[in-house]
Amino acid sequence: MAALCVVASSLAAARGSRRLCDAQGGILLGPQVTTLDRLVPAILAAAGDRRPVLSPLAERLVAVRAGRAAGGPWATLAPEGGLAASLAGSLAELRRGEVDPETARAASADLPRGPASRLGALADALEAHEAALRDLSALDRAGATRAAADAARRGALPGELAELDLLVVDGLASVSAAEWDLLAALASRARRTRFNVPFFPERPDASAFAEPLLRRVEGLHEAAARREIEVALPHLDGDGRAPRIGALLAALGGASPRTPFAPRSGAGEGEGRGASAGAGGLVLAQAGAGEAGEVVEIARALARLAGSGIDPGELAVIAPSPRRIAPALAAACADAGVPFASGRGAPLAEAPVVRAVLDALAAAGAGLDRTHAERLAASTYLSLPPIPGALRALLDRAGALDGRGPPADALRRRAAALEAPSAAGERAALGRAADVLAHLDALIRPLAAGGPVRAHAARVSAFVDVAGIRRRASRGPREVVERDLAALAALEAALDELVRAVSLAGRGAELLGPAELSALTALAVEGAVIAPPPEPAGGAVELWGLDEAPGLSLRAALVTGCTRGAWPPAPRPDPLLREPERQAVNARLRRAALPTAAARRGEAMLQAFSAAAAGREAAVFLWPAPGPAADGGPLSPMVADALVAIGVEPAGPPRDPELAASRTVREALRAAARAGAAVLPALAATPLAARARDALARGEIEAERREAVQARRPSPHAGAIRGSALAALRAVLPEEWSATTLETWAVCPFRFLLGTGLRLEEPPDEALDIEAREEGLLLHAILERLVRARAARNAWPPSGDPADLAEAAAVAREVLVEFERAGRTGDPAVFAGRREAVLARVERVVRAEAEGPRDVAPTLLEHAFGGRSGRPPVVLAAGGERVALRGRLDRVDAGPSRLLVLDYKNSGRSRGRELVKELDPEAFGQTSFQIPLYLVAAARELPGRARIEATYALLRAAERLAPVALEPGDPVLATEAPAEAPGESSRTFAAAVVAAVGTIRRGDLPVASRTCEHCPYGAVCRFP
């Protein structure tokens, strides 16, 4: 029997063909399930029409050509722009409605100025579009459909369509005039024709969009006299819809109680919120915690329905954006053990391997700037030599920015400027990085060539091989390799389609520029998809789009995305063909050539209603409630009101189920963790036993850590280091301690453990500007050289006159040149402005020194003790324990009766207010270690003064804080703490230091932070 089924989408055709093949014992001869778009080329070929049919990409290119020819607002149209997409869509809609340019111009005369100019410009573009089609001897989709309809009416049909025993038209809710003529011609030749129209007589308000098609079918009187033509309403004709589903459809959208949706079969009330669909049917509404939670709830609902006895092949998920949720839903169904088939591949432009190719094209077209260099050098798909160090840091230091020229040149300039021996390592790294970027530039340079699109496609394919992309894509885990190789195959197909589309648009031999070729490639990739991965061919849950819902009929349907404002979905606005223009054109033609706003709202309503009616026994509505990512929203009022009318209460995001009700491994583990060790015997014979024990152990660890952190005490998992770990810690502890290390411990012992004990490095402060630490060292070096030179010739303090300021500026410039040659000043262009700020800061410091005390003079400058200085460390003792300390005195001014310790801080007044606390003797040995250590060291190096003072010199503000003053006999200066009486606690600095180091050596380093500000270890600590 010759049979043909015409469906609405290619996915429906593929799935219908598979079912038909299964029903026929695995044999399927000919395209028995197809779409109108697939029928048209076969009919044109049978009729001898050799004109090619434009693909969607070719139609867009022809629309761009027509727009440029028409001029006006379309004169500078670019194929990749949004205006080109809108123009192509509007022209296709005008052509589908068979609106000619003269009618459009006449309709524009009936409109005010703004709409009239828009419609007039569209009429000019439409006229140029039709002329381009004639010049190219090509057909767009609308023209091909009209030509196929005329050929079918003449009887010029392929052999398999000439004598049809059965024609089925299923799932179509609306057709154009040409499409209807084609269907009518096929119906007139088929012995029997069945039209399955998605129409609900009890709800004409929801079916208004399909009513014109129904009236057309009913008007086939002449064909019905000779052939058997049947009109079927699949949602009503004996499909066994459950009573509760019928009551839901009656209430959906606010139907009047006087016109209930009467079910054709079934009786009795269902249990409503039961776990399975009983005789009365099942209606549920379940929210997920955000979009991710909604996907999890979909998988759970599918598992429950499948567990209740419904074959997964009789379950469908209907989503407004099926391609968006397909990957996450496939993973969730795999976790839940539910067979799932999305039928949709991922967008080609989102594949990482294709993204690398597009980045190379963009870099070649615009020149290899810094942005593209970083992105391509970081790609794992390109075969490039390794770059020593962090490329971003090297580019920052070299001042490589977009618009400044090739980044390789910037790297080489910086390498040439680094003359200091200490910069040899960085100089070599810069040279190697420059060589890698030069190699990358040579690799992508062929892609920057212009020429015909066919040659460009060949260059892109060659680049994939030469750059090692295909070879690297073939390595790795199996699923990743399959994804990448499928993406490269889809890329080749997209390039072939681009060549064909450009040729059909009449530009195949045209020499195109590199920028336009890159844009056309990105446009071709944007519209392509990767072939879907292997999926179950039968007996699996299928994913459908909301536009494919008319015509679906299964035992259970899950409708997703039912949020307020998104269900039913709002029609997408058309920026060119707006409502006044549509109504004016329809009025001129006296027919509904273009769908108006009411028709588009009716289409959305029919799709939403058909989705709710797709399940005969169960309808489940799901929506994303606001979750962790703040996405989602409330339930659609249309659904909410219908649920209230039938007595179903929507459920919010559910809590995790208990162990007996868990459907996934994650749910079971979470339930076991909540139940505790008592659940382990029940899992003893299952694969989850080991993982459950591990989860419980981890939970106990986290609980113990939290208690320890709240009590600020060490614990085995919160800073209590014991056993071999303690021995390892002691091995890395310094023999000579610094004040900075002890102050880190005082702020947070756990931070000290991570930084000093585990040697976790803080992330580098990489930027174009000079690093804060380097700027501080620069100012230290300038002041040391200046003060030492003046002190050597007894010229201190300075007077602040122009000669002193000139000397300070000259010294500063000498040091600046040295730092620049060593590569320690950041980007040269940025430091050009910072240089003046440093010189101004030095000038302010010199003026402030001129007003300083006259009874002391600089005696010690950058005076180091301990370590490699050659001077002994400061040794503090208490209770029989000794601790050696090292450090560096920035400056000590000495006079006959007093010493003044100055510690430079590259800080302003705001930071100075915090430093005041460190000058308080009560903080010595508690939070302040630097100032008391420097006091002890200065008193040792320059003894005999009656008064010892210390303060901070704020270089940015050119100010000094009020100093702390001690006498030589002060306990703070004692290097050995006196023996303590029973019950007393020594408050000397020596005792505090020895006690702190003893605590560290014992391994007691709890999470007991005084402040978490500027801590780089938040991801490790997790207790900020």
Side-chain angles (χ1 to χ4, degrees):
M1 182 180 71
L4 178 68
C5 180
V6 179
V7 295
S9 68
S10 58
L11 179 61
R15 287 174 170 170
S17 298
R18 186 197 69 210
R19 292 189 177 92
L20 189 58
C21 181
D22 293 342
Q24 296 178 170
I27 299 175
L28 184 64
L29 301 176
Q32 297 185 19
V33 184
T34 186
T35 63
L36 286 173
D37 289 341
R38 292 181 180 179
L39 274 180
V40 165
I43 296 175
L44 293 177
D49 193 332
R50 297 179 178 272
R51 289 176 294 178
V53 180
L54 299 180
S55 64
L57 178 59
E59 281 199 39
R60 182 162 176 170
L61 296 180
V62 172
V64 171
R65 168 180 169 173
R68 291 174 177 174
W74 325 113
T76 59
L77 205 60
E80 70 277 9
L83 184 59
S86 298
L87 177 61
S90 297
L91 292 180
E93 195 167 0
L94 289 169
R95 293 275 296 164
R96 185 174 188 270
E98 299 185 348
V99 180
D100 57 83
E102 291 75 16
T103 301
R105 288 197 185 92
S108 66
D110 303 333
L111 294 169
R113 181 175 180 179
S117 63
R118 285 195 300 271
L119 189 55
L122 275 176
D124 296 339
L126 179 61
E127 185 174 23
H129 183 77
E130 293 180 349
L133 292 176
R134 289 192 296 270
D135 293 342
L136 297 170
S137 296
L139 294 170
D140 60 358
R141 181 177 183 273
T145 305
R146 172 50 64 190
D150 295 341
R153 206 166 34 239
R154 298 193 308 268
L157 292 170
E160 64 270 14
L161 300 180
E163 294 294 335
L164 283 175
D165 295 304
L166 175 64
L167 171 66
V168 178
V169 180
D170 183 56
L172 297 179
S174 176
V175 293
S176 66
E179 290 170 343
W180 171 248
D181 290 345
L182 176 56
L183 290 175
L186 294 175
S188 66
R189 305 185 67 85
R191 291 186 176 88
R192 181 187 177 193
T193 302
R194 179 185 175 98
F195 286 91
N196 295 329
V197 182
F199 190 84
F200 303 88
E202 290 88 346
R203 290 298 305 274
D205 57 323
S207 312
F209 184 73
E211 186 171 356
L213 176 60
L214 183 61
R215 297 292 173 257
R216 278 174 164 170
V217 175
E218 293 174 344
L220 291 175
H221 303 298
E222 182 179 352
R226 297 179 292 103
R227 306 285 182 177
E228 182 181 350
I229 296 180
E230 177 185 3
V231 180
L233 307 180
H235 289 294
L236 295 179
D237 287 358
D239 59 355
R241 178 172 286 110
R244 186 171 289 271
I245 305 297
L248 169 73
L249 298 180
L252 198 63
S256 171
R258 293 189 298 272
T259 58
F261 196 104
R264 294 299 179 92
S265 62
E269 288 296 323
E271 60 277 9
R273 299 190 68 187
S276 63
L282 174 67
V283 177
L284 293 175
Q286 176 67 57
E291 294 181 357
E294 182 192 22
V295 171
V296 174
E297 291 308 313
I298 295 171
R300 287 177 177 173
L302 291 172
R304 287 195 296 268
L305 290 171
S308 69
I310 299 180
D311 180 22
E314 285 291 326
L315 295 171
V317 178
I318 303 173
S321 302
R323 196 176 301 280
R324 179 178 177 181
I325 71 167
L329 184 54
C333 287
D335 289 342
V338 177
F340 176 76
S342 68
R344 290 167 171 82
L348 181 60
E350 295 179 4
V353 63
V354 175
R355 192 72 259 166
V357 177
L358 295 180
D359 287 341
L361 281 170
L368 187 62
D369 56 11
R370 171 176 176 161
T371 300
H372 290 107
E374 281 192 73
R375 187 174 300 168
L376 291 173
S379 174
T380 58
Y381 291 101
L382 297 179
S383 295
L384 297 174
I387 296 179
L391 178 61
R392 175 171 297 182
L394 295 175
L395 293 173
D396 281 343
R397 293 170 185 168
L401 293 176
D402 293 344
R404 282 192 179 179
D409 293 351
L411 294 172
R412 291 196 173 95
R413 284 196 301 270
R414 176 170 175 82
L418 298 181
E419 301 176 357
S422 60
E426 183 180 352
R427 187 165 54 247
L430 288 166
R432 288 195 293 270
D435 293 341
V436 172
L437 294 188
H439 173 71
L440 175 61
D441 188 36
L443 197 62
I444 66 174
R445 192 175 298 128
L447 298 177
V453 68
R454 185 178 298 277
H456 169 74
R459 285 194 296 268
V460 174
S461 297
F463 170 77
V464 171
D465 294 327
V466 172
I469 294 177
R470 195 182 307 278
R471 183 176 66 255
R472 285 178 171 255
S474 303
R475 303 172 182 172
R478 178 177 178 180
E479 60 274 10
V480 176
V481 170
E482 291 177 351
R483 179 201 67 188
D484 290 343
L485 293 182
L488 290 177
L491 176 62
E492 297 284 350
L495 291 173
D496 292 342
E497 170 57 27
L498 175 63
V499 172
R500 180 175 180 272
V502 173
S503 300
L504 289 176
R507 304 182 66 186
E510 186 177 340
L511 300 180
L512 305 178
E516 187 172 7
L517 287 171
S518 178
L520 287 174
T521 305
L523 183 62
V525 169
E526 182 182 351
V529 295
I530 306 173
E535 295 177 328
V541 177
E542 293 179 340
L543 176 65
W544 296 92
L546 195 60
D547 57 339
E548 297 167 315
L552 286 180
S553 180
L554 305 99
R555 291 185 63 186
L558 285 78
V559 186
T560 70
C562 301
T563 53
R564 176 186 296 171
W567 201 91
R572 180 175 298 178
D574 191 326
L576 300 180
L577 269 178
R578 303 182 186 179
E579 189 64 14
E581 294 94 303
R582 292 173 181 272
Q583 293 184 2
V585 169
N586 290 347
R588 278 282 174 176
L589 292 174
R590 297 183 179 180
R591 59 182 174 87
L594 301 177
T596 60
R600 290 188 290 172
R601 286 195 298 269
E603 180 182 15
M605 180 65 177
L606 177 63
Q607 292 174 358
F609 203 85
S610 298
R616 300 187 300 272
E617 301 176 17
V620 182
F621 297 91
L622 300 108
W623 80 98
D631 48 10
L635 179 61
S636 166
M638 176 178 172
V639 178
D641 294 344
L643 295 175
V644 171
I646 64 173
V648 175
E649 180 182 354
R655 301 180 65 179
D656 286 339
E658 297 303 321
L659 182 61
S662 297
R663 306 292 303 185
T664 66
V665 171
R666 178 175 296 181
E667 289 179 356
L669 290 176
R670 289 162 95 56
R674 291 194 304 272
V679 79
L680 291 178
L683 297 175
T686 68
L688 293 179
R691 296 183 64 180
R693 283 193 298 270
D694 182 67
L696 290 173
R698 291 174 183 272
E700 292 175 359
I701 289 173
E702 291 300 322
E704 181 265 332
R705 286 191 68 199
R706 185 171 298 277
E707 292 176 2
V709 170
Q710 292 174 348
R712 302 178 70 84
R713 60 173 175 81
S715 75
H717 297 94
I721 312 301
R722 301 291 185 266
S724 59
L726 180 57
L729 173 64
R730 288 175 175 173
V732 300
L733 292 179
E735 295 182 1
E736 296 178 359
W737 297 76
S738 69
T740 302
T741 300
L742 293 174
E743 287 181 351
T744 300
W745 168 85
V747 170
C748 180
F750 196 68
R751 186 189 299 193
F752 168 86
L753 170 64
L754 297 175
T756 303
L758 301 182
R759 303 292 177 88
L760 296 183
E761 296 183 0
E762 297 187 18
D765 183 17
E766 298 172 358
L768 294 176
D769 204 353
I770 184 174
E771 295 181 11
R773 181 178 180 274
E774 291 292 345
E775 187 180 61
L777 293 176
L778 172 63
L779 289 169
H780 276 65
I782 293 173
L783 293 177
E784 178 194 4
R785 189 171 300 185
L786 174 64
V787 175
R788 191 181 298 279
R790 294 188 66 91
R793 65 174 191 266
N794 294 322
W796 194 265
S799 62
D801 59 13
D804 289 348
L805 298 179
E807 178 187 5
V811 171
R813 291 191 179 93
E814 290 177 3
V815 179
L816 284 168
V817 170
E818 296 175 3
F819 269 65
E820 288 171 352
R821 288 177 177 175
R824 301 170 63 182
T825 56
D827 179 22
V830 175
F831 189 70
R834 175 69 70 178
R835 174 197 296 269
E836 299 304 317
V838 170
L839 293 174
R841 197 171 302 169
V842 172
E843 180 179 334
R844 289 199 302 272
V845 170
V846 171
R847 293 182 185 276
E849 291 287 353
E851 300 176 0
R854 304 284 174 166
D855 62 328
V856 291
T859 305
L860 299 178
L861 296 173
E862 299 296 330
H863 181 82
F865 54 91
R868 299 179 180 179
S869 66
R871 301 181 182 88
V874 171
V875 179
L876 303 181
E881 298 290 336
R882 301 169 64 84
V883 175
L885 299 172
R886 59 180 174 83
R888 180 186 295 272
L889 296 166
D890 291 344
R891 176 175 149 193
V892 179
D893 291 358
S897 60
R898 73 181 180 112
L899 296 177
L900 176 60
V901 179
L902 289 174
D903 191 62
Y904 296 142
K905 294 294 183 185
N906 189 27
S907 307
R909 293 185 179 88
S910 59
R911 171 62 177 156
R913 288 190 290 270
E914 300 176 9
L915 293 173
V916 169
K917 301 176 183 178
E918 299 186 17
L919 295 172
D920 184 0
E922 293 294 326
F924 291 172
Q926 303 299 319
T927 59
S928 176
F929 288 84
Q930 195 173 53
I931 288 297
L933 173 60
Y934 290 173
L935 285 169
V936 174
R940 185 189 71 175
E941 296 294 331
L942 301 172
R945 270 68 174 185
R947 186 179 179 86
I948 304 175
E949 300 177 355
T951 188
Y952 290 112
L954 308 180
L955 300 183
R956 291 191 181 185
E959 296 177 355
R960 295 181 184 178
L961 301 181
V964 57
L966 302 176
E967 296 180 358
D970 194 291
V972 171
L973 302 178
T975 57
E976 184 170 356
E980 301 175 6
E984 293 184 359
S985 177
S986 174
R987 295 176 57 84
T988 64
F989 178 62
V993 170
V994 171
V997 173
T999 301
I1000 295 172
R1001 288 172 175 169
R1002 288 194 304 271
D1004 292 339
L1005 300 170
V1007 182
S1009 177
R1010 296 178 184 270
T1011 175
C1012 291
E1013 188 176 1
H1014 306 304
C1015 178
Y1017 306 120
V1020 179
C1021 174
R1022 303 202 308 275
F1023 286 100

